[in-house]
Amino acid sequence: TYYVKPILVYKGISYPGPISDAMKITLIDLLPAPNYVYADEYGIEGNYVTWSYNESTLNQYDFYYFEIYSSDAFDGVYYYIGESYDDIFWHDYLSIGEEYFYKVRFVGVLDMNDYYSSFSEVVSATTKPAMPYAEAVSEAYNSIRISWDSYENNTGFQVYRGFNETGSFANIAT
């Protein structure tokens, strides 16, 4: 920790007396980005992001948190989506079957000042496609009609037939 006092200098002449009170300056190490960042889906409308951070760095601050940013493209514009006081963030209410990109940074607070790390590497996760609700109705003694709801981003369906619930199933249509 250092203290500085600015002195007025005009046209090369120093004027006596400080122009303000002493200011405290605390030097800290350059903050590393969070590491071991990982993202994955946890259902049809959500992803989660995890990371780790050096424990000794955390202990230098009065308190700390992590900011999470997301984009719809690796090299796209990243938007702040939230913060976490732990090493995990849950990103909810997303579009089904879409890929999302994430990066994380550490924010340490010391003496009421915020200190930011660089951003982590970019990671991505894709939400699961939704499972269709299917209905089968007997049309005649030798045919059935199968229908299902389609969800956004589904690109196709496969129909399997079996002769009992626990037996083997064979693909009969795509």
Side-chain angles (χ1 to χ4, degrees), residues 7-100:
I7 304 293
L8 177 62
V9 177
Y10 180 71
K11 293 187 178 183
I13 301 172
S14 295
Y15 289 85
I19 58 173
S20 71
D21 294 333
M23 294 178 285
K24 180 180 177 183
I25 297 177
T26 302
L27 300 177
I28 59 172
D29 296 333
L30 182 62
L31 296 174
N35 53 20
Y36 305 108
V37 182
Y38 175 78
D40 202 356
E41 54 79 21
Y42 73 91
I44 65 170
E45 292 183 332
N47 291 332
Y48 68 93
V49 183
T50 63
W51 57 88
S52 65
Y53 205 73
N54 185 325
E55 199 68 33
S56 64
T57 302
L58 302 177
N59 296 331
Q60 295 179 42
Y61 295 92
D62 298 330
F63 67 94
Y64 61 87
Y65 56 96
F66 297 89
E67 291 182 340
I68 297 83
Y69 291 75
S70 181
S71 177
D72 60 0
F74 179 85
D75 57 354
V77 175
Y78 283 79
Y79 296 98
Y80 170 84
I81 58 170
E83 61 191 43
S84 174
Y85 295 91
D86 204 352
D87 58 358
I88 192 165
F89 181 80
W90 302 91
H91 192 194
D92 295 315
Y93 307 108
L94 303 176
S95 294
I96 297 167
E98 288 287 328
E99 185 174 22
Y100 294 84

Side-chain angles (χ1 to χ4, degrees), residues 91-167:
H91 192 194
D92 295 315
Y93 307 108
L94 303 176
S95 294
I96 297 167
E98 288 287 328
E99 185 174 22
Y100 294 84
F101 297 85
Y102 300 96
K103 58 186 180 179
V104 180
R105 74 175 173 181
F106 170 81
V107 181
V109 180
L110 181 65
D111 296 330
M112 301 300 291
N113 294 305
D114 292 348
Y115 298 93
Y116 298 89
S117 76
S118 53
F119 282 103
S120 70
E121 64 181 316
V122 173
V123 295
S124 69
T126 302
T127 54
K128 277 186 185 176
M131 295 299 296
Y133 170 76
E135 180 177 67
V137 177
S138 176
E139 292 279 304
Y141 76 94
N142 63 352
S143 67
I144 60 170
R145 179 174 47 91
I146 303 172
S147 61
W148 56 85
D149 295 332
S150 182
Y151 293 95
E152 66 177 295
N153 301 323
N154 286 345
T155 58
F157 296 93
Q158 294 178 334
V159 179
Y160 285 79
R161 177 182 65 194
F163 294 102
N164 62 50
E165 286 182 39
T166 59

